[in-house]
Amino acid sequence: MSQTLSAREQILAAIRGAKPAPATDSTSTPRPTLQLTSPPDDPDTSIERFMSLAREEAATAERVAEAADVPRAVLRYLRSERLSLRLIIAGNARISGIVWESTADLDCAAEPVADDGDTVVTGCYAGVAEAGAVVTLSSSDHPSEFNFLAATHIVIVPASVVVDSFEQLWPRLRADYPERWPRMMNFIVGPSRTADLGVPSRLGAHGPSRVHIIVVDSC
Amino acid sequence: MSAAPQQSSPTGQRVALFITCLADLYRPEVGFAAVRLLENAGYVVEVPAQGCCGQPNFNSGDRSGATEMAGGLMRRFAAYDYVVAPSGSCAAMLRCHYPTLFPEGSDERALADALAEKTHELTSFLSDIAGVSGASVVWPAAVTYHDGCSGLRELGIKQQPRKLLQAVHGLELREMTEADACCGFGGLFCVKYPDISTRIAATKTRDIAATGADYVVTGETGCLLQIQGKLHRDGSAIQVVHVAEILAGSLEDYPASPETGGSDADD
Amino acid sequence: MQTTSPKFKALSRAALADRTLQVSLDGLRRIMPEIRTAALNEMSDFEATCDQAAEIRNTAIASLDHYLRQFERQVQASGGQVHWAATGEEACQIVGRICSAAGAKKIIKSKSMVTEEIELNAWLENRGARDGQFEVTETDLGEYIIQLRGEKPSHILAPSLHVTLEEVAETFHAHHQIERQQPLSDPADMLVEARRVLRQKFLAAEVGITGANFLVAETGGVVIVTNEGNADLTACLPDTHIVVTGIEKVVPTLDDVGVLLRVLARSAIGERLSNYTTFVQGPRRAGDSSGPGNYHVVLLDNGRSNLLGTEFQDMLRCIRCSACLNHCPVYTAIGGHAYGSVYSGPMGAVLTPALSGLSSATHLPNASTFCGRCESVCPVRIPLPKMLRHWREQEFKRKMAPAGQRVGLRFWRILNRRPFVYRWVMRLVAIILRGFSRAGKNGRRWIRRLPLLGAAWTQQRDMAAPAPKSFQTKWRRQGAAK
């Protein structure tokens, strides 16, 4: 104990003793918001950009009008990809109006995701259009490993949670979590990939090899 | 294929030519071309007795050597309206680095600041200050331009030589891939790490050859020697010229080298 | 940090002769600048964003103790533990103690240059647990490959850049006990195999060790960026998660992180954002079905605080994007191993002498043409050539440069005191050099061979001979003739 305590004091003393060159305090400077070549001016454009940029990173994306449309969209997706119709449903995928079990062909389970090969369906906290990123927060309704262990990750994104830029995300997070943050926040852009086995990158390095985004307009 | 000198109203201003040690030793025709260009633009050109700007010492970490050499050069060039060098790296040494050698508030610092203010690389001086367009020169050839690193990154020289070259009648300027990639000269680097230097040069000469141009043009004598040295060793027919030589119409009017004929050769 | 930087010349020569390495480096040299340019052209204010990124890093560095203490408080408030290590050895001991206390043997790691710097894997495997060895598995594919091969990383983002696909297949054949239909040749099959093997390691691991890209003082968050998702698995499956990080990575606020993220992936790999950007905020919460029960952050100094207040302070801004490596004519000619350090390229040439001492890395600051491309692409505006020059100044002061060079510079300085002496000596130089020349193409004389220092030029290049009379000589004669 005393060894690390003295290392702490040693290091802090070394830092204080050195005289770093003064810098202006950037916390008081307003940050320029990101200006892409065609900045969005309405939420719909944000959503289109969000989906388009996610697609550029090998995710697939679609839009449905109502929450009730989601299970059918999922079924279509699984069939078109020739995937098993067995799904692990995270708690936060049960957003208003979605009754997963009502869609007969889907084999829904609410259980921990197994080693590999599973398809998981989760909700999310937000979408960030500037990068095509889905934002998820860990909770009992959304265990973090759902994002990483499954082979296929289907994310339900309510239209109302899509923001243009990171600058719009931080105030929401601060307001929603004034005391204590969830253990893990993930920004996810498309499937997992690696360039260590040559270019172009290969999908499905450790995380999912498929990410499918379903934006729900009414939510 | 003649080169008519460009007439413009005399400005009467006095320009000191900073020849640079490499051009002085290896390629005096660059100096004569620079003088011609400056005189045609209406300046009175003088060449004060001079040596090296101190860049080799500065870049090798010998600050006191560089400071001493800078002090000497500053005094020799103090009395002129402009100092013009046919080299981005030497001009950058005076413009960007001389002031940093002397303490703020000192007399030398004031001298260095004044010198920095009025020192220019040749093509940027001709283009940005003298307003030269180079249109009177005729030289039909396919050329590609290599950007010297210091000129580009310390002085922002990119468009000026191209603008001047493109106004030369008959000249076709072809851009190589990564014209702004280093040629591998790097001052003492080229002899301290010759294997790496030559490999970098090989990438550059490959990119030059890929343009199909007959000439590669540069604004730096160091780059010129490096690229020329590699091309010649490889048996390439591509010739290397300094941008001043093209713009001054030197290549037809004057001999291509100081070895043969002409008023400059003096054997 | 162990380095082999004194062997720089021999290593670089070997690298230049290595054909497969040269093919990889040629690809890197051509592709990376293109994709970076495409990514930043998408933003109308990329350069302004980089200026702001530099300012943010400066703010953190200027009050490093304040932000580190804020970060520490936040981590502790979330239930995590913070440890401070002045040296690499101390950091290894801390990690070893945590693993032993957790009764852990199986450790997984995500890519962390800091853990390479302190050689944590070797420490854990050699000194190990009291009752049996620690088993450490790298999970980043590139790191995993070089771990199996017993090699060091050759690029800070792509550590296995120097390894060919054939060599990867050989390595997997040698190390994986797997039944295969046929030998591995398709990278798709190699990926499937690696994923399967490493998945087992993920699931069995008792401790996960990651690095950190940024430390958020405001929230106590640790930001980890990957494309593979391996850091995320490392951080959420085992019961203990240890973050090992340099102290300079702290940034004040979330907004600051947003700005830095914007320039990081674009500068590194020409992407808007990496596939996974993860903020870790402490151990598992009540109600979480998974996540580590034990969460530790190890803050490592290892020479970083020594840079504060010196002419090298700006180096602490580095966000390890590797843009400088990818744009460097020297790095892309010789690759990372020649530098003999886990940090290579321009940033490595500045940082390595700082962390392991100038005398173990004398070549690195000298093997640069000062082309300045590194500085022009650095998203946090580090004046890399200027810092390399500062190292050269230190070498000059401490007489570490070769004697011949010192003598030559002194001679040059004295020579330039009087222009007429300079002119006469240069006339002599011209005569001597011309003595080695022969008439040749384009009406010039050419030199093919020179002795002594000149041989360094003429081994692989010709030299156009100096003119018979220098410019100044001719000019003076012209003037006299008028």
Side-chain angles (χ1 to χ4, degrees), chain C residues 322-336:
Chain C
S322 79
C324 59
L325 275 70
N326 298 335
H327 288 77
C328 176
V330 175
Y331 177 88
T332 58
I334 62 176

Side-chain angles (χ1 to χ4, degrees), chain A residues 8 24 31 56-57 115 130 140 145 149 167 174 180-181 183 185 187 189 191-193 196 206-207, chain C residues 59 72 78 139 142 195 199 218 227-228 235 255-256 262 271-272 275 277 279 281-282 285 287 290:
Chain A
R8 179 182 187 276
T24 55
R31 266 151 211 59
E56 278 185 33
E57 300 304 318
D115 300 357
E130 78 166 88
S140 53
E145 70 273 13
L149 281 178
E167 278 74 22
R174 287 186 186 111
R180 226 184 169 205
W181 280 55
R183 199 262 155 170
M185 172 165 71
F187 295 176
V189 183
S192 135
R193 67 175 68 212
D196 289 327
H206 293 298
Chain C
T59 302
E72 178 186 46
S78 75
T139 61
R195 183 189 168 101
R199 183 56 62 102
E218 175 192 345
N227 283 327
E228 293 179 19
D255 300 75
D256 295 329
R262 272 192 192 115
E271 295 284 337
R272 292 178 200 98
N275 293 95
T277 306
F279 293 65
Q281 303 277 161
R285 305 275 183 267
S290 61

Side-chain angles (χ1 to χ4, degrees), chain A residues 10 18 38 45 48 54 80 85 106 135 152 162 178-179 186 203-204 213:
Chain A
Q10 238 181 73
S38 50
T45 320
E48 285 305 319
S80 73
L85 303 182
L106 291 175
V135 182
T152 302
V162 176
E179 293 298 323
N186 300 116
L203 303 181
I213 292 169

Side-chain angles (χ1 to χ4, degrees), chain B residues 17 19-21 23-29 31-32 35 39 45-54 56-65 68-69 76 97 149-150 153-154 177-178 180-182 184-186 188-201 203 206-207 222 225-226 228-230 232-239 245 256-260 264-267, chain C residues 8-9 12-13 15-17 22 26 29-30 33-34 329-330 333-334 362-364 366-373 376 389-390 392-394 396-397 401-402 405 409-410 412-414 416-420 422-423 426-427 429-430 433-434 440-449 453-454 456-478:
Chain B
L17 180 73
I19 180 59
T20 82
C21 37
D24 197 20
L25 180 65
Y26 283 99
R27 200 122 174 163
E29 54 268 46
F32 289 106
V35 170
E39 286 179 343
V45 182
E46 292 176 32
V47 183
Q50 58 192 263
C52 173
C53 63
N57 298 63
F58 183 63
N59 281 341
S60 301
D62 175 15
R63 259 184 103 85
S64 81
E68 182 189 320
M69 293 163 80
R76 291 190 204 110
H97 300 296
C149 296
S150 292
R153 296 193 183 93
E154 294 189 279
T177 309
E178 294 194 314
D180 64 355
C182 187
F185 179 72
L188 288 178
F189 174 86
C190 67
V191 288
K192 288 183 69 165
Y193 300 95
D195 299 317
I196 307 175
S197 173
T198 312
R199 180 58 56 91
I200 298 170
T203 304
R206 198 176 64 208
D207 290 341
L225 290 169
Q226 167 86 340
Q228 178 186 57
K230 180 77 179 105
H232 195 266
R233 175 62 60 95
D234 291 345
S236 169
I238 300 172
Q239 293 188 62
E245 296 172 287
S257 94
E259 306 291 347
T260 60
D264 295 336
D266 200 3
D267 274 317
Chain C
F8 179 80
K9 285 206 143 174
S12 55
R13 232 171 267 132
L16 290 168
Q22 288 299 316
D26 278 343
R29 188 191 313 119
R30 277 292 123 94
E34 262 172 39
V330 175
I334 62 176
T362 47
H363 276 295
L364 302 191
N366 290 292
S368 166
T369 65
F370 283 179
C371 76
R373 221 175 180 206
S376 72
R389 191 182 295 117
H390 287 320
R392 295 183 187 186
E393 285 162 11
Q394 294 218 1
F396 188 82
K397 263 187 229 135
Q405 180 174 317
L409 290 171
R410 184 158 186 82
W412 192 244
R413 166 187 186 162
I414 294 170
N416 272 276
R417 284 178 183 157
R418 286 183 181 45
F420 81 89
Y422 170 83
R423 274 200 308 279
M426 294 314 280
R427 181 170 204 174
V429 169
L433 286 174
R434 283 175 67 83
K441 279 200 299 206
N442 307 326
R444 289 192 180 275
R445 296 185 70 85
W446 296 90
I447 300 166
R448 290 190 68 82
R449 271 185 72 170
L453 183 66
W457 181 281
T458 56
Q459 245 154 39
Q460 298 175 71
R461 291 159 287 204
D462 289 341
M463 181 189 281
K469 295 277 184 289
S470 73
F471 173 79
Q472 289 191 75
T473 303
K474 288 191 184 168
W475 179 265
R476 291 165 74 83
R477 288 196 191 184
Q478 264 182 229

